[in-house]
Amino acid sequence: MFNLDTFKTFSRAFAFGAVAVSAIAFAGQAKAAPVQLFPLFAPPPGYAAPQPQFQPFQPLQPYQPAYQQPYQVAPSEDQDSVEMPARFRRQTVSYATREAPGTIVIDTPNTYLYYVLGNGQAIRYGIGVGRDGFTWSGIQSVTRKAEWPDWTPPPEMIARQPYLPRHMSGGPGNPLGARAMYLGGTIYRIHGTNAPDTIGKRVSSGCIRLTNEDVTDLYSRVNVGTKVVVLPMTDRRADLAR
């Protein structure tokens, strides 16, 4: 005789067993092939995940930039590094003159300036003088002194060279150089230059130029009122041309 309670008990046992078998089978498949969480970013065939490489300990090295700008020394403002001929270098020489110590004598034809010391000696400097047609001679005196002077070309110079600036502030690039000594009421000066290679030449508009180093030395010796004797171009003396 069919027993309903026995049948229900058997059915429940069978169903529970089926569920257990399915769970075991699913777990086995999951272990064999894990589910991909991001199937759209699957690795390409043959891809192998990189394995960590263990390197031996290396001591820390000082930081080295990828590109190192070489150190460069800023250009010097001293323009007097040009090699001067020996005869134009500042030196104490024998010099016979009747002028009193402290007098400046401009030897135009030989491109020398003498600062008279007395006792037959003078300090000799190499100079640049006026070009042909711009030399002059006479006796003047220093009426003003200036360090790193401004330059205002006189109207006569601008008329000849209209491209010149009307005014230039003092400094290493200024044509008057490091020092200037103004002569009487003239347009002429004894001054420095930023073109030391012109020493010994006739290139100016009448001014007397020295290297910045030499004009600084002369400036320290000269006072306002110092007598300046400018010899004419025709008074060239071979004994001073050495």
Side-chain angles (χ1 to χ4, degrees):
M1 182 175 180
F2 180 76
N3 189 327
L4 181 58
D5 292 335
T6 301
F7 177 78
K8 289 180 178 180
T9 301
F10 176 81
S11 297
R12 290 190 188 98
F14 179 82
F16 177 81
V19 170
V21 171
S22 298
I24 293 172
F26 178 80
Q29 293 177 356
K31 183 177 181 180
V35 177
Q36 295 182 6
L37 298 179
F38 302 96
L40 295 179
F41 298 96
Y47 172 81
Q51 299 297 319
Q53 300 293 326
F54 295 98
Q55 299 293 337
F57 173 76
Q58 297 292 336
L60 294 177
Q61 300 295 326
Y63 169 73
Q64 296 291 337
Y67 173 75
Q68 185 173 3
Q69 178 69 28
Y71 175 77
Q72 295 180 348
V73 178
S76 172
E77 293 182 352
D78 181 8
Q79 301 293 329
D80 298 334
S81 59
V82 173
E83 185 68 22
M84 299 290 293
R87 71 188 188 96
F88 292 135
R89 295 173 188 165
R90 182 174 75 248
Q91 54 194 292
T92 300
V93 298
S94 297
Y95 186 66
T97 180
R98 295 179 181 178
E99 299 295 342
T103 302
I104 292 175
V105 178
I106 306 295
D107 184 356
T108 307
N110 294 296
T111 60
Y112 293 136
L113 181 152
Y114 292 91
Y115 179 78
V116 179
L117 296 175
N119 298 320
Q121 290 192 315
I123 300 175
R124 189 178 73 186
Y125 305 82
I127 59 174
V129 298
R131 60 186 182 274
D132 291 344
F134 289 88
T135 58
W136 58 283
S137 61
I139 298 176
Q140 292 291 338
S141 62
V142 174
T143 52
R144 186 164 73 90
K145 297 170 59 178
E147 299 184 10
W148 294 107
D150 294 345
W151 180 45
T152 302
E156 300 92 330
M157 185 178 292
I158 292 177
R160 295 189 303 267
Q161 301 166 285
Y163 55 83
L164 292 176
R166 287 353 183 218
H167 180 82
M168 182 180 290
S169 297
N174 191 299
L176 296 186
R179 304 288 187 271
M181 289 154 276
Y182 296 78
L183 302 180
T186 71
I187 62 173
Y188 304 122
R189 290 149 290 198
I190 299 171
H191 62 78
T193 179
N194 53 23
D197 58 319
T198 61
I199 299 303
K201 300 178 181 178
R202 300 175 178 87
V203 295
S204 79
S205 295
C207 287
I208 308 302
R209 61 177 64 180
L210 297 83
T211 65
N212 282 336
E213 180 181 356
D214 282 354
V215 79
T216 300
D217 179 84
L218 180 63
Y219 185 95
S220 68
R221 302 174 188 275
V222 169
N223 299 315
V224 171
T226 293
K227 181 181 178 181
V228 179
V229 179
V230 181
L231 303 179
M233 178 60 77
T234 55
D235 191 24
R236 185 176 182 86
R237 290 176 285 176
D239 61 324
L240 294 178
R242 293 193 299 271

